[in-house]
Amino acid sequence: MRWWKVSISLLLIASLTTGVAIRARAQAEPELRVSAEVGHDLSPALRDLAAAVAARPRSGVHGEILPLHRLPIATGAPTRPGALQTRAKIPFAATIGLNFDGLGASMPGFAPLYTPPDTTGAAGATQYVQWVNTSFAVFDKATGNLILGPMDGNALWLGFGGGCEFRNDGDPIVNYDKQAGRWMLSQFTSKPPYLECVAVSQTSDATGAYYRYAFAMGANLADYPHAGVWPDAYYFSFNMFDGTTSALLGGRACAFDRIAMLAGAPATQICFDSTNTFGMIPSDWDGATAPPAGSPDYFVQMAANSLNIYSFHTDFTNPASATFTGPFNLPVAPFTPACADNQPVGGEIARAGAAVQQGCVPQHGAELKLEELSDRLMYRAAYRNFTTHESLVITHAVARAILAKKPAGAAIRWYELRGLSITPTVFQQGAYAPNPQWRWMSSGGMDAVGDIAIGYSVSSPFLFPAIRVAGRTPADPAGTLEAETTVVDGAAPQLGSYRWGDYSAMSIDPADDCTFWYTTEYIARRKDGPNWNTRIASFKYPGCVAP
């Protein structure tokens, strides 16, 4: 049965489609916006939808990959990255488990349509779900065998109506709500009416039925959505661009009512808009222990030689009391974003196929350089409560060194933050660059005993883009990672597009709270046009024991 919100009696609630702000603070402060969902329903089982999708003509299915919308680079004069690690002598202690190809050019019957793939994925109770921009698939977590798919992303909304069903624009995120044992899958629409489409599974089976929701984003493009699971809400961050001119307007932080969505009930969204909160990512809860009671979700943003931390406290009973406060500015070791000298004016669009070279990451066998996206933090902001302390792991790309005012290589800058509910501090940090290659497009996480793992892409003029992972145990020297290991070597350069990523995904297996799962892209054979492959790999540290 489908429920459509037609009218709302509460005077506090105003529709985002009208762009009405119900509380306008000082000009520089966030504006609170509250609205009901556009609509919600309960889908048939996804395994049944697959047959219906296979029989449906594709002429009514739309998809469009937008040009890259850049963000302003927050940096001053070029500086050498602090906390730079140029050697890694401790061997990689984790053991690789499964290591297999996901969606991509190597999968029979699947052809990449767009670049980049926006690779995202997560492990669930028995399955792994991967989504690559406009298609997703379900894999058996024990064997790596394909269970369902590949399916168009919007096939999940078959019969729902509106943009969620009839557009397939990507920018997906796959989350597994570990505490509820549910999947939370989302993608956006990139043309009016702008929507965020969110589906929450009824059970832990990704091939089953979903509660489907559409949330209105208003008159402007809500780009690059990233999501985090928290006890009271599914939190999302967006970069907001003018729907007509594509000018950068700022950032948006939203909370979707998790408790209502888990029950398939009507759901409210509470959002805050601000001109200066672009590039944020919300904290995403791992582990069995919840954040402290009443804890806000933490949104983190990269700033000049620092991190900005915002606190989002939501209240679906009394939306007017919701708050989005900050930033708390946390100084970190000085850094220069990778390829900072290659960035255009903040907010300028880098159009796919443009004659001007947009990327800066070199690759073997081609003059084309790849986009590094060092203008923002990478997904996820992985949160864990150890009861003795809270930890948040975050990564982004920085210049390895500045030689003659030009970057020489790129490093993975990573942080473990603590003291979030008291006074945030940097417990440890590093810039991982054990040789002069280019490392970027990272994602990190932490297991049940505090082991950290980070996956990323690596390339150089002498190396095809490859996939590697590095990590550390609590016994390793602070601020350092062990020697990296290769998940898969690339066999060719990417041709035809400088776009790479736009993100990758590291998740923690909910079955043991120890096994890491990582997915991102690589190139297996030389060919013009969309030609990427993806890899899905698991690995575990021997000292991690399930709690």
Side-chain angles (χ1 to χ4, degrees):
M1 184 176 186
R2 178 178 304 149
W3 299 86
W4 291 97
K5 267 310 192 198
V6 177
S7 62
I8 303 170
S9 59
L10 294 176
L11 294 177
L12 285 174
I13 297 180
S15 171
L16 278 172
T17 59
T18 65
V20 176
I22 69 172
R23 183 173 68 211
R25 300 174 179 174
Q27 185 175 3
E29 294 186 359
E31 293 183 351
L32 172 64
R33 300 172 180 267
V34 183
S35 71
E37 57 182 56
V38 174
H40 82 277
D41 73 355
L42 173 62
S43 78
L46 187 57
R47 69 186 80 91
D48 297 330
L49 280 176
V53 169
R56 182 181 67 171
R58 293 178 59 87
S59 58
V61 178
H62 299 282
E64 179 179 355
I65 302 304
L66 294 176
L68 175 62
H69 291 78
R70 295 186 186 272
L71 303 177
I73 284 284
T75 186
T79 58
R80 291 182 178 272
L84 183 65
Q85 181 183 352
T86 57
R87 295 183 180 182
K89 297 182 178 180
I90 301 174
F92 185 67
T95 300
I96 299 289
L98 287 182
N99 188 354
F100 61 97
D101 265 357
L103 294 173
S106 63
M107 177 171 283
F110 179 83
L113 299 177
Y114 309 102
T115 299
D118 292 353
T119 313
T120 181
T126 62
Q127 301 158 330
Y128 187 91
V129 174
Q130 186 196 45
W131 199 326
V132 287
N133 221 321
T134 59
S135 300
F136 68 91
V138 181
F139 298 88
D140 186 317
K141 199 178 70 175
T143 64
N145 293 336
L146 183 67
I147 297 174
L148 184 67
M151 296 176 65
D152 287 340
N154 61 333
L156 183 54
W157 281 271
L158 182 65
F160 186 79
C164 290
E165 178 179 0
F166 295 108
R167 295 202 64 84
N168 191 28
D169 296 332
D171 264 25
I173 290 293
V174 173
N175 288 81
Y176 188 72
D177 186 335
K178 303 172 184 64
Q179 291 67 35
R182 308 283 195 90
W183 294 95
M184 193 273 282
L185 311 179
S186 63
Q187 72 170 1
F188 78 164
T189 63
S190 63
K191 294 292 183 181
Y194 297 109
L195 302 170
E196 187 65 19
C197 308
V198 183
V200 179
S201 65
Q202 265 197 322
T203 70
S204 62
D205 181 4
T207 72
Y210 285 77
Y211 297 121
R212 306 184 294 191
Y213 292 82
F215 293 98
M217 290 291 109
N220 298 306
L221 172 65
D223 192 36
Y224 206 69
H226 279 13
V229 176
W230 210 247
D232 57 0
Y234 295 126
Y235 286 88
F236 278 72
S237 62
F238 303 90
N239 299 322
M240 302 302 298
F241 293 88
D242 187 283
T244 301
T245 67
S246 294
L248 176 64
L249 302 176
R252 172 173 292 171
C254 288
F256 301 153
D257 190 342
R258 171 179 178 257
I259 305 305
M261 295 169 74
L262 288 171
T268 299
Q269 65 170 332
I270 298 175
C271 300
F272 287 92
D273 285 3
S274 177
T275 58
N276 56 4
T277 54
F278 48 81
M280 300 183 300
I281 49 174
S283 51
D284 186 30
W285 168 28
D286 288 331
T289 304
S295 173
D297 189 90
Y298 302 100
F299 281 63
V300 189
Q301 176 192 43
M302 185 177 75
N305 295 330
S306 62
L307 299 173
N308 286 331
I309 302 174
Y310 298 85
S311 297
F312 193 154
H313 170 74
T314 194
D315 187 337
F316 292 105
T317 302
N318 181 18
S321 69
T323 58
F324 186 81
T325 57
F328 179 91
N329 184 256
L330 180 61
V332 300
F335 65 86
T336 297
C339 313
D341 66 323
N342 194 58
Q343 300 293 338
V345 176
E348 179 181 336
I349 299 176
R351 298 196 175 275
V356 177
Q357 171 66 57
Q358 299 290 352
C360 71
V361 177
Q363 51 177 342
H364 180 55
E367 292 185 4
L368 181 72
K369 295 183 179 180
L370 304 174
E371 171 62 41
E372 88 301 328
L373 280 185
S374 65
D375 57 353
R376 65 200 71 191
L377 297 176
M378 291 284 98
Y379 186 71
R380 295 180 302 142
Y383 170 92
R384 188 175 288 273
N385 184 3
F386 290 95
T387 67
T388 56
H389 65 275
E390 302 168 85
S391 288
L392 193 68
V393 175
I394 312 165
T395 68
H396 62 102
V398 300
R400 183 181 187 270
I402 301 296
L403 302 176
K405 298 184 179 181
K406 292 289 183 179
I412 301 299
R413 168 59 68 88
W414 62 276
Y415 311 92
E416 181 188 355
L417 308 185
R418 293 190 180 182
L420 295 167
S421 58
I422 306 170
T423 301
T425 60
V426 178
F427 177 73
Q428 59 178 332
Q429 62 184 310
Y432 188 69
N435 57 44
Q437 295 171 340
W438 299 68
R439 291 167 178 81
W440 84 109
M441 206 56 60
S442 55
S443 183
M446 177 180 282
D447 67 17
V449 299
D451 300 315
I452 292 175
I454 301 170
Y456 48 87
S457 296
V458 58
S459 185
S460 81
F462 313 103
L463 178 73
F464 297 125
I467 302 172
R468 294 180 187 169
V469 293
R472 57 170 283 107
T473 72
D476 293 331
T480 65
L481 299 180
E482 299 165 349
E484 62 190 359
T485 192
T486 297
V487 171
V488 65
D489 282 321
Q494 178 167 283
L495 305 175
S497 175
Y498 66 93
R499 298 287 297 278
W500 188 268
D502 283 332
Y503 38 92
S504 63
M506 182 75 77
S507 67
I508 309 298
D509 197 315
D512 63 5
D513 209 18
C514 289
T515 302
F516 293 93
W517 290 80
Y518 183 62
T519 185
T520 193
E521 71 166 297
Y522 74 105
I523 306 295
R525 67 188 182 103
R526 189 182 185 100
K527 182 182 177 182
D528 287 328
N531 185 44
W532 40 261
N533 299 78
T534 66
R535 201 76 170 179
I536 301 169
S538 66
F539 52 100
K540 180 180 177 180
Y541 284 89
C544 187
V545 178

